[in-house]
Amino acid sequence: MVAVRFIRFTGWPQSLSIGGMNHSPSRATATAPLAAKPLPANSSTRERDGQWLLIAGGVLLGTIGVFVEEAGQHPLVTVWFRCAFGALALLAWCLGTGRGRELLLSGKARWVACATGVLMVLNWALFFAAIPRTSIAVATVIFHIQPIWVIVFGALFLREAISPLQWVATVAALAGLVLTTGLLDGAAAAAAASHSPGYLAGVLMCLGGSLCYAGVTLLANTQKAISPYAMALWQCLVGAVALAWAPWVLGWPPLGAAWGWLLGLGVLHTGLAYVVLFAGMARLGLGRIAVLQFVYPLTAVLVDWSVYGRTLSPVQLAGVGLMAAALWTLRRPRLAS
């Protein structure tokens, strides 16, 4: 999860997030009028490729929970390995593609990258700690409430205007969140309590992590010149340095499968996933990205069911649907008048 920035279309922050990262299109896309324009001959192929890249990235991110659970390490150790392996993977890709100059930050940009790195470490740590206490599906869906906090913070601190429709969608998303937790569903709550006595703590961790994620979004918006790859790499580097003590104090993983799962978190879910997702986003419009970003939580729900046999109750599924509909309404860009 790496947050890059959000975009304003009609006076409020619209964030597009997949797997914990927020993305705004290239400057050309962000500043161009939204009115219809003649498309180049290869535009349909470009959009189709972008869709498949975004779907592939979302499906890949949807398996994060399995890697976290199978690694079986302390959340801070898991975060450190993801940061360390992810930084190496992203650095190799950036240098191999001639993007090395993008990584050189100075002044305020460097401080913003470091600050977002600290928040991302907290975000990942809370997310990884919440998964065994709730489930992959519940934790992932709850974390996707992050755009709501961005809207609320934007209204409170940035004086962003929020329309009545946006308020309705915000309330609907929060209602969906409550239903998704299962705390109002007697059967689901009992099953959750028997699965993990720390279920409520896990839900609170998810909410805390999503708040950290919203903070990353707002901070990253102050430095739009930082490329997505540079922001992602700097966040991983900050995490690798800040948590370098974790495996020494909390214990190194035993030799064997755990190292493979942790390597996958860094190389697959950080290096490969980010490259694939950013490449897909660069080929698509904001509306299409807003829809396809729900591939990630949907995959997480299906993976949790197919691998561990954990299913959401009908009430929880209704909450997921309500959240998805509300967030899609909030995130879809308006056509220019």
Side-chain angles (χ1 to χ4, degrees):
M1 301 180 184
V2 169
V4 178
R5 67 191 63 136
F6 60 83
I7 303 174
R8 300 178 193 173
F9 278 93
T10 54
W12 68 286
Q14 298 216 29
S15 71
L16 298 173
S17 60
I18 299 184
M21 63 189 151
N22 289 338
H23 168 77
S24 67
S26 64
R27 292 181 180 83
T29 303
T31 58
L34 295 179
K37 289 184 176 182
L39 296 175
N42 63 346
S43 63
S44 60
T45 301
R46 178 179 174 83
E47 287 191 4
R48 184 173 63 250
D49 292 343
Q51 290 178 35
W52 283 112
L53 286 169
L54 223 58
I55 290 172
V59 170
L60 180 58
L61 287 174
T63 64
I64 284 179
V66 174
F67 283 68
V68 172
E69 295 233 45
E70 294 302 316
Q73 303 303 303
H74 190 282
L76 294 180
V77 174
T78 304
V79 172
W80 183 79
F81 274 98
R82 184 181 188 185
C83 289
F85 287 140
L88 291 174
L90 286 169
L91 180 61
W93 186 87
C94 286
L95 295 179
T97 55
R99 294 175 173 266
R101 295 181 63 87
E102 296 181 15
L103 308 179
L104 302 177
L105 304 180
S106 61
K108 185 179 178 181
R110 181 187 300 165
W111 287 108
V112 168
C114 290
T116 60
V118 172
L119 288 175
M120 286 308 299
V121 168
L122 292 174
N123 173 36
W124 284 342
L126 289 169
F127 179 51
F128 293 164
I131 286 176
R133 289 174 171 81
T134 55
S135 69
I136 295 172
V138 171
T140 304
V141 172
I142 292 177
F143 258 85
H144 276 73
I145 201 66
Q146 174 263 351
I148 297 300
W149 309 138
V150 174
I151 294 170
V152 172
F153 291 161
L156 292 177
F157 303 113
L158 302 179
R159 305 301 181 186
E160 299 284 358
I162 301 181
S163 70
L165 176 61
Q166 291 161 358
W167 275 119
V168 171
T170 297
V171 172
L174 292 174
L177 172 67
V178 173
L179 294 177
T180 301
T181 64
L183 296 176
L184 298 184
D185 185 344
S194 63
H195 168 69
S196 172
Y199 187 86
L200 179 58
V203 170
L204 294 176
M205 288 176 181
C206 292
L207 293 175
S210 66
L211 286 169
C212 292
Y213 184 15
V216 172
T217 302
L218 295 171
L219 273 176
N221 185 61
T222 66
Q223 289 295 313
K224 296 183 175 66
I226 305 176
S227 75
Y229 303 105
M231 184 69 83
L233 179 55
W234 271 77
Q235 290 170 349
C236 286
L237 289 173
V238 169
V241 172
L243 294 179
W245 57 270
W248 298 98
V249 175
L250 301 173
W252 290 88
L255 294 177
W259 282 81
W261 293 111
L262 294 170
L263 179 65
L265 277 174
V267 175
L268 298 179
H269 297 107
T270 307
L272 178 61
Y274 290 178
V275 170
V276 169
L277 287 168
F278 287 136
M281 290 174 178
R283 292 167 167 80
L284 295 175
L286 293 171
R288 197 68 57 83
I289 295 173
V291 173
L292 291 176
Q293 68 182 323
F294 293 108
V295 170
Y296 172 26
L298 176 61
T299 300
V301 171
L302 294 176
V303 165
D304 207 14
W305 166 71
S306 61
V307 176
Y308 298 110
R310 296 189 292 238
T311 59
L312 299 180
S313 71
V315 172
Q316 288 176 298
L317 289 174
V320 173
L322 184 58
M323 276 185 64
L327 292 176
W328 180 83
T329 300
L330 289 170
R331 291 170 174 178
R332 65 188 181 92
R334 300 179 181 180
L335 294 178
S337 59

